[in-house]
Amino acid sequence: MSEAEFSIIDSLESVDPAQWQAIAGDNPTLAYAFLHALHETRCASAHTGWTPRYLVMHRDGALAAAMPLYLKDHSRGEYVFDHAWADAFHRNGLPYYPKLLSAVPFTPVTGGRLLARTSEDRALLARAALQVARQLETSSLHILFPDERDREALQAAGFMLREGVQFHWDNPGYADFDAFLASFKMEKRKKIRQDRRRVQEAGITFEHLAGRAITPEVLRFFYGCYVSTYQAHFSKPYLSLKFFERLLDQVPDSLMIVLAKRGEQPVAVALNLVGGNIMYGRYWGTQEFVSGLHFETCYVQSIEYCIQHGIARFEGGAQGEHKMSRGLVPTPTWSAHWIADERFADAIADFLAQETAAMNQYIDELGEHVPFKPTDA
């Protein structure tokens, strides 16, 4: 095997899209078009505090491995919270920012971060990332939502692991939505049917739009709802309409929209990403309040779509014990961390040991409240 050559790039323009896809796989959030669109539309850029510093590895001039890396001067848009760590650094007169981060910006989706074909190359990439963090004199290096293969490589390289939780739905092969409901305890099944009936009685119907069936008009309606969701929480959206237009133009098959309508008038919308036999719930918004509409649009309709199309998993996004009543169950997620200062590294290691024990207990307690019949739990 020829020797690996590492370099840092600040744009994907110099990377061949086909070579990138060969190592990125079928996760839509790792697609060349998705990541490049984040940068080209300046959603993830130095201007917004996400300065690309991608680590790439070549052999014989061809891309062999890569790692999405960013220099960060804040912790926004990450969904793994380290504000207490930053405060501890500042209280002791030490800078926490800039830090080095491997993640898909604004996207709490588990996937590859050490993009490589072999375990040996993943190990090389993990060690090289540590060297980059030292060379850039950053306080720390954080890898968010790595998959299982990456976790193993990162832990072997000396990273500390941190456990979190999301709520996911797995499809064992339901024949239809009624078969899915039949797996619920009676009172939980009754509640879903009542909520669906309320939405129907409000005159709401639904369309499932995938790929080229999503028109520019529907996308603009979605974006208006997306913005209003942030405004309702007194914040600004991370992503621009241009970003979503790029996705619709370049990778339409990665998009699926649930559109709620009253007659011909759109009322609410959810946008999902699809790839690798998984659907990822990402964004939602509405123009009016209808009891049960959020659950129906974001979760129930998406699960029904997955059953109809044989999709194996629906990941409901960050946070939300409320998702359990719709059949999404607690699922561990992970992040990996390296801290340059050994004193803080030891303190954070102690904290993570306690936090992991508490998180495991929390997940076990949640597992006692899944909505399924005991034989299906």
Side-chain angles (χ1 to χ4, degrees):
M1 183 180 294
S2 58
E3 186 175 351
E5 298 180 357
F6 290 95
S7 58
I8 300 293
I9 59 174
D10 59 9
S11 169
L12 289 178
E13 288 184 347
S14 62
V15 176
D16 179 81
Q19 292 187 18
W20 180 272
Q21 287 304 127
I23 60 171
D26 51 16
N27 185 315
T29 69
L30 294 168
Y32 181 95
F34 189 95
L35 293 168
H36 197 39
L38 283 171
H39 306 149
E40 289 290 284
T41 60
R42 301 189 72 195
C43 295
S45 65
H47 174 73
T48 59
W50 292 78
T51 303
R53 289 291 183 269
Y54 277 39
L55 175 62
V56 294
M57 185 178 85
H58 288 82
R59 284 200 179 92
D60 298 324
L63 184 67
M67 188 175 186
L69 280 174
Y70 297 88
L71 270 178
K72 291 291 303 296
D73 55 18
H74 56 71
S75 292
R76 295 188 295 275
E78 298 177 11
Y79 300 92
V80 175
F81 303 108
D82 62 351
H83 302 95
W85 301 1
D87 289 343
F89 269 71
H90 295 323
R91 286 197 305 271
N92 286 274
L94 296 174
Y96 189 68
Y97 304 108
K99 65 179 184 179
L100 197 59
L101 181 82
S102 179
V104 177
F106 323 118
T107 309
V109 166
T110 293
R113 300 295 179 259
L114 307 172
L115 305 181
R117 297 182 182 87
T118 67
S119 58
E120 292 79 11
D121 282 351
R122 281 189 288 276
L124 282 175
L125 209 55
R127 292 195 295 270
L130 287 173
Q131 185 175 350
V132 171
R134 294 187 181 100
Q135 289 174 346
L136 295 177
E137 298 183 344
T138 58
S139 70
S140 50
L141 170 57
H142 312 265
I143 294 88
L144 309 186
F145 302 101
D147 62 20
E148 183 176 0
R149 295 185 305 179
D150 287 358
R151 291 201 310 271
E152 293 174 356
L154 293 165
Q155 194 167 23
F159 285 79
M160 299 177 285
L161 295 184
R162 186 179 191 184
E163 187 175 4
V165 65
Q166 288 183 353
F167 296 84
H168 299 168
W169 172 84
D170 287 309
N171 184 3
Y174 294 114
D176 51 32
F177 191 78
D178 285 339
F180 166 60
L181 284 185
S183 69
F184 277 59
K185 297 173 185 176
M186 183 178 65
E187 66 274 15
K188 302 295 185 181
R189 180 168 63 249
K190 182 179 179 181
K191 181 66 167 61
I192 288 182
R193 285 176 171 159
Q194 287 175 339
D195 289 345
R196 302 197 89 183
R197 189 158 49 248
R198 288 194 190 96
V199 173
Q200 292 168 0
E201 290 170 351
I204 303 297
T205 59
F206 291 91
E207 288 186 29
H208 298 162
L209 305 172
R212 294 297 180 190
I214 302 171
T215 65
E217 292 76 19
V218 167
L219 193 68
R220 285 194 292 271
F221 173 76
F222 153 74
Y223 191 74
C225 290
Y226 165 75
V227 171
S228 68
T229 299
Y230 277 84
Q231 290 175 340
H233 294 87
F234 306 101
S235 61
K236 296 181 180 179
Y238 293 122
L239 302 171
S240 66
L241 177 59
K242 286 185 178 180
F243 168 73
F244 291 106
E245 288 174 337
R246 285 278 293 265
L247 295 187
L248 184 59
D249 178 59
Q250 297 182 6
V251 283
D253 291 342
S254 69
L255 302 180
M256 181 268 172
I257 276 180
V258 176
L259 184 65
K261 302 171 68 176
R262 183 181 288 110
E264 293 302 313
Q265 183 66 34
V267 174
V269 63
L271 186 146
N272 301 314
L273 297 173
V274 183
N277 208 24
I278 301 174
M279 188 156 75
Y280 305 91
R282 295 303 305 119
Y283 317 105
W284 128 275
T286 184
Q287 291 189 333
E288 65 175 271
F289 173 78
V290 175
S291 178
L293 183 60
H294 173 251
F295 287 121
E296 181 71 24
T297 307
C298 290
Y299 310 123
V300 179
Q301 287 289 322
S302 294
I303 288 173
E304 188 165 18
Y305 181 89
C306 287
I307 293 171
Q308 292 170 350
H309 293 81
I311 296 174
R313 169 174 286 199
F314 172 61
E315 298 190 5
Q319 304 174 344
E321 294 177 14
H322 58 277
K323 299 170 186 174
M324 291 180 62
S325 64
R326 270 65 187 174
L328 287 81
V329 300
T331 305
T333 59
W334 300 90
S335 55
H337 307 269
W338 172 83
I339 310 295
D341 190 303
E342 292 184 0
R343 297 165 300 172
F344 280 92
D346 291 341
I348 289 173
D350 290 340
F351 164 78
L352 290 179
Q354 299 176 46
E355 185 187 54
T356 298
M359 181 60 67
N360 286 333
Q361 182 178 354
Y362 171 63
I363 292 174
D364 288 343
E365 291 172 354
L366 288 176
E368 297 174 3
H369 301 283
V370 296
F372 301 108
K373 297 173 184 177
T375 54
D376 298 306

